Amino acid sequence: STTIVATDANSTPLMFSTNDATVSGFTLTHNYTNAELTAWNFNNNGVTFGQLTSGNTLENSIVTLSRNGIYLNNSHDNVIANNTITNNRTGINMTNDLQGTQITGNTISDNWTEGLVTYDSGIAINYSTITVTGNTFDQNWYEEVTVKDTTISSGALDDTDNTFTVS
């Protein structure tokens, strides 16, 4: 029942900067000023899995009111499980080498652009090592799941057994 609120539009409430840590049961959010909302020029995350970290878990938490609810970049063997990721610009944004990432049992809803987006940004992704399964994607504005810019990546993303609902 603990809420962590970033009070600066460019800060991140939770950053994994170590290996093998677990965070469970928090609400991670931002408290924007009217001027920040008017400018809308911030680039924040609710949760960041730091580059070159591995084995971290975010579970049973709520991530809301961020540019990217959850951001992973060059981070391995992480687990995102049983969270509610809602009312962000993008629910989950993943780029570059993400080997062993597991995204399971989450509700990813009402995000303003994508529910989940993944792309390579100069570093290849082996999609066959990533699992996106057992999630509910609901009412994300543009698309529920997007894989883009994969010119140097390989493999197929395992996105089986998810629920996709739209009205």
Side-chain angles (χ1 to χ4, degrees), residues 40 42-43 65-69 86-93 110-115 140-142:
W40 193 256
F42 41 85
N43 188 13
L65 295 177
S66 298
R67 184 177 192 280
N68 296 303
T86 188
N87 202 23
N88 302 286
R89 183 170 180 263
T90 301
I92 301 174
N93 184 333
D110 298 306
N111 295 291
W112 311 332
T113 59
E114 312 280 346
N140 296 293
W141 185 311
Y142 293 140

Side-chain angles (χ1 to χ4, degrees), residues 138-139 144 165-167:
D138 183 34
Q139 303 295 319
E144 305 298 340
T165 59
V166 293
S167 61

Side-chain angles (χ1 to χ4, degrees), residues 21-38:
T22 298
V23 172
S24 180
F26 288 88
T27 296
L28 304 145
T29 190
H30 283 85
N31 184 15
Y32 300 106
T33 65
N34 287 335
E36 289 168 336
L37 287 173
T38 299

Side-chain angles (χ1 to χ4, degrees), residues 52-123:
L52 306 178
T53 61
S54 67
N56 294 304
T57 300
L58 176 69
E59 62 185 10
N60 303 314
S61 294
I62 299 168
V63 182
T64 189
L65 295 177
S66 298
R67 184 177 192 280
N68 296 303
I70 299 174
Y71 181 70
L72 298 96
N73 180 356
N74 288 325
S75 187
H76 297 226
D77 301 309
N78 296 299
V79 176
I80 300 168
N82 305 314
N83 300 289
T84 299
I85 304 158
T86 188
N87 202 23
N88 302 286
R89 183 170 180 263
T90 301
I92 301 174
N93 184 333
M94 306 189 318
T95 188
N96 295 314
D97 189 6
L98 305 162
Q99 178 177 314
T101 299
Q102 298 175 39
I103 300 171
T104 183
N106 301 286
T107 299
I108 304 166
S109 66
D110 298 306
N111 295 291
W112 311 332
T113 59
E114 312 280 346
L116 182 148
V117 62
T118 181
Y119 52 94
D120 63 52
S121 182
I123 299 174

